Amino acid sequence: MRVTSLTALGIAALTALTATAGTASTGATPSDDAPATKPARTASVHGSARIHYVFSPDDDIRFTIDAEAAPYSRPLPGVPQGLPTDARGTVSFRHVVAATGLTATAKARVDCLVTGGGTATLTAVVTRSDVGPVGERLGFSVGEGRAGEPDRLGFSWGVANVDPEKADEQGNVTAPRVGTCMAPAPFAPATRGGFRVRHAGLPLQPADIR
């Protein structure tokens, strides 16, 4: 994976913003019964739901997501410290076609997660599939319902993902690859079940891995 100049600038900015907190000298030492430091909040998405997909309204389509943030845990070429959006977990889905009874399933390994309030985007790399290539990165988004609205989910292959500026040898537009944490808006409402998004801000790079 080649890191773009924009990504490199972002990593540089994160590094520049990271500062080691100084400790004031008071001449006192912490007592043995001093409260432990509260662990940092960790972003996550968990849940399972059947969703309504407008282009296949009669089909039974279900997603299960178990994703946890794991910042700076996945070294990449050119970014050996990893990224603040690194994550782990799994996404699995099952699609039963009403017209034929055909069932397709897949499972993917989460590699990126970012949250904002009750919404999240994440990506996962396919590890097992009946319908698509293993190793493909897929994008997902989750939105918790508010004021009686249902939870919603988006998935990268459910909307048009094309690059109008590029074409294949036959002149047809091509579908770009899904990058980390890239996903469409959560467009499909949950009709059963739901998801819980736990928000946490993106952490600065720890001093011990700078």
Side-chain angles (χ1 to χ4, degrees), residues 12-210:
L14 284 172
T15 302
L17 286 171
T18 303
T20 302
T23 302
S25 177
T26 61
T29 58
S31 63
D32 291 339
D33 59 352
T37 302
K38 185 177 180 180
R41 186 179 178 90
T42 302
S44 64
V45 179
H46 297 287
S48 182
R50 177 175 178 174
I51 59 99
H52 173 77
Y53 182 46
V54 66
F55 300 109
S56 302
D58 299 322
D59 293 359
D60 185 344
I61 306 173
R62 301 171 188 253
F63 290 83
T64 298
I65 299 175
D66 287 296
E68 297 271 351
Y72 305 103
S73 63
R74 298 180 58 252
L76 296 170
V79 193
Q81 70 272 34
L83 299 170
T85 52
D86 288 344
R88 56 175 169 257
T90 58
V91 177
S92 58
F93 46 96
R94 177 175 178 266
H95 185 162
V96 181
V97 181
T100 63
L102 177 69
T103 298
T105 62
K107 189 171 185 178
R109 183 184 67 254
V110 173
D111 65 356
C112 190
L113 170 66
V114 61
T115 60
T119 64
T121 61
L122 60 145
T123 46
V125 178
V126 176
T127 56
R128 180 185 58 77
S129 177
D130 300 333
V131 292
V134 170
E136 180 181 13
R137 178 177 289 104
L138 304 174
F140 305 89
S141 60
V142 175
E144 287 190 2
R146 293 289 188 269
E149 289 291 317
D151 292 353
R152 293 179 180 273
L153 183 137
F155 46 101
S156 56
W157 65 98
V159 295
N161 176 26
V162 298
D163 187 345
E165 305 303 321
K166 295 182 179 179
D168 60 20
E169 294 178 355
Q170 288 72 44
N172 301 311
V173 293
T174 59
R177 296 177 60 186
V178 173
T180 55
C181 276
M182 297 294 99
F187 55 84
T191 59
R192 186 179 304 167
F195 300 97
R196 180 62 183 266
V197 176
R198 183 182 185 185
H199 170 66
L202 294 175
L204 295 176
Q205 184 177 311
D208 60 354
I209 63 171
R210 280 186 292 168

Side-chain angles (χ1 to χ4, degrees), residues 1-5 7-12 15 74-83 205:
M1 172 182 174
R2 184 177 65 186
V3 179
T4 65
S5 58
T7 300
L9 286 172
I11 296 301
T15 302
R74 298 180 58 252
L76 296 170
V79 193
Q81 70 272 34
L83 299 170
Q205 184 177 311

